[in-house]
Amino acid sequence: MRFAVDPWDPSYGASLDVELGESAAQVAVDVELPGPQWQPLDPEPGVTPPGAVLFVDGVRRIDAQVWVDEPDGTASPALCASYAAGVVCCCREGGAHLLAAEVRRGLFTTAPDVTDVATLAGTYRVSHTATRPDVAPGQVLSLAVQRELGDTELGAAAVARSGHGTEDDLLVVDGPLRGRQHLPRVIGFVKSHRSDYLPPQLGGIVAALRSGQRTPVFRLGSSWQRFTWYLRLPCRPGAPWAGIVRVECSAELPTADAVALAMRSQATLGRFASTEYKDSRAPQNLYPIAGLERELRRRLGEPNLLYRALRRAAVAAAA
């Protein structure tokens, strides 16, 4: 029996679902090449990496689930969360260095007339979100935390680039680009795959990619539009989708600019790919992003300390 082991640590879920879900997104494959001419594309010899690569990422943690008393005597669920975002710059002059990092704490609730929660370990600022009849309350609150994290990532990227960005830089956002596609020279870096976007006759090209190769650029439309392509990072041969990432950029760009970004991603991202003996999510978990996540989690604070601080604040409020 022959088999291959996916290097991705299963404790993080799967980098590729066993059965990719059928996507309802609209796909236009005739962007860079007509569909019948699709094939794995090698890196262009004349394309060079940018002078600086800015990696943006964020982390979140639920510190406690709480219940907020309503005026009618009922209680509504709420979340106390800590979240942080930052930017790491990798450039020729300074190597890898942290450009920006911001930590926030929030009390996410659908209840009205709620005030900030002050604790000895920090203040949780109130963030109101509307209820949705079609979504469970816990999911509504979790989505609200994710939105705030996205806004924090956007703010961190803008601050870092305002004082450091050049015309020869590339901004890499960990995850889908939605909400940040207006930033210049930006790509989204998607590590795991849940949907099958390409038609069956082209899907096999992804598995056929060799290290450093990519698919042609295609257009993807769902609730928002973007250009996207698949790229295989350097990795040990094995599972069909091992080392495959999906990269995306704004659909507002001219096609030639989107193709240029795809070429530049080939010349850039493989340099930061992690290796199996150092990272359990290799090679997709790029070294700068992994380092940034560790630093941001450290800045979130000790979870047990924050939990105890919240318990004390609740006791004091009830007294």
Side-chain angles (χ1 to χ4, degrees):
M1 181 185 71
R2 299 181 61 187
F3 67 99
V5 177
D6 193 325
W8 187 275
D9 186 345
S11 65
Y12 290 99
S15 63
L16 173 72
D17 276 358
V18 176
E19 293 186 6
L20 290 175
E22 184 177 349
S23 173
Q26 297 178 339
V27 177
V29 299
D30 299 331
V31 173
E32 183 177 0
L33 289 175
Q37 298 179 23
W38 265 48
Q39 61 181 337
L41 300 178
D42 291 316
E44 288 290 330
V47 178
T48 58
V53 186
L54 310 178
F55 293 92
V56 182
D57 197 11
V59 297
R60 50 177 278 184
R61 186 184 66 211
I62 304 302
D63 295 328
Q65 179 172 320
V66 300
W67 293 88
V68 176
D69 291 339
E70 298 269 24
D72 61 1
T74 61
S76 296
L79 295 178
C80 285
S82 296
Y83 50 103
V87 182
V88 163
C89 175
C90 296
C91 60
R92 301 187 184 101
E93 297 79 13
H97 53 283
L98 185 67
L99 284 185
E102 183 177 0
V103 178
R104 298 180 183 180
R105 307 195 196 281
L107 170 63
F108 295 84
T109 178
T110 59
D113 304 322
V114 177
T115 59
D116 297 344
V117 174
T119 77
L120 295 176
T123 299
Y124 289 78
R125 305 292 180 186
V126 172
S127 178
H128 292 280
T129 186
T131 59
R132 292 176 54 181
D134 59 329
V135 181
Q139 184 68 10
V140 168
L141 297 174
S142 181
L143 291 172
V145 177
Q146 194 61 37
R147 284 194 300 270
E148 286 296 318
L149 176 58
D151 290 344
T152 308
E153 290 178 2
L154 181 59
V159 169
R161 215 173 205 180
S162 65
H164 196 276
T166 68
E167 291 301 317
D168 187 33
D169 68 12
L170 179 66
L171 187 66
V172 180
V173 173
D174 187 41
L177 199 56
R178 184 172 189 171
R180 293 161 287 192
Q181 61 267 34
H182 63 283
L183 297 172
R185 302 181 304 283
V186 62
I187 57 175
F189 181 80
V190 182
K191 296 192 287 280
S192 57
H193 312 282
R194 301 290 178 265
S195 297
D196 188 4
Y197 294 117
L198 291 173
Q201 65 270 24
L202 298 179
I205 293 177
V206 178
L209 294 176
R210 297 194 303 271
S211 176
Q213 290 184 325
R214 65 173 176 88
T215 66
V217 175
F218 59 100
R219 191 183 184 99
L220 190 60
S222 51
S223 57
W224 64 294
Q225 301 279 331
R226 65 273 203 197
F227 288 121
T228 189
W229 57 96
Y230 289 101
L231 167 68
R232 190 185 295 273
L233 298 174
C235 66
R236 182 186 304 175
W241 280 54
I244 296 292
V245 296
R246 188 172 59 80
V247 190
E248 53 189 38
C249 68
S250 171
E252 299 300 318
L253 293 172
T255 300
D257 291 351
V259 172
L261 274 175
M263 292 178 180
R264 197 155 224 201
S265 73
Q266 279 181 283
T268 303
L269 297 178
R271 300 163 56 213
F272 303 102
S274 53
T275 53
E276 293 179 34
Y277 74 93
K278 288 186 177 181
D279 196 303
S280 57
R281 289 182 286 171
Q284 292 97 313
N285 200 34
L286 304 181
Y287 281 130
I289 292 175
L292 178 57
E293 287 179 347
R294 286 194 298 270
E295 176 61 21
L296 292 176
R297 288 196 178 95
R298 184 186 69 81
R299 295 183 179 220
L300 289 183
E302 169 57 42
N304 291 329
L305 176 64
L306 290 163
Y307 181 75
R308 289 195 298 269
L310 284 165
R311 291 288 298 267
R312 292 192 186 101
V315 171

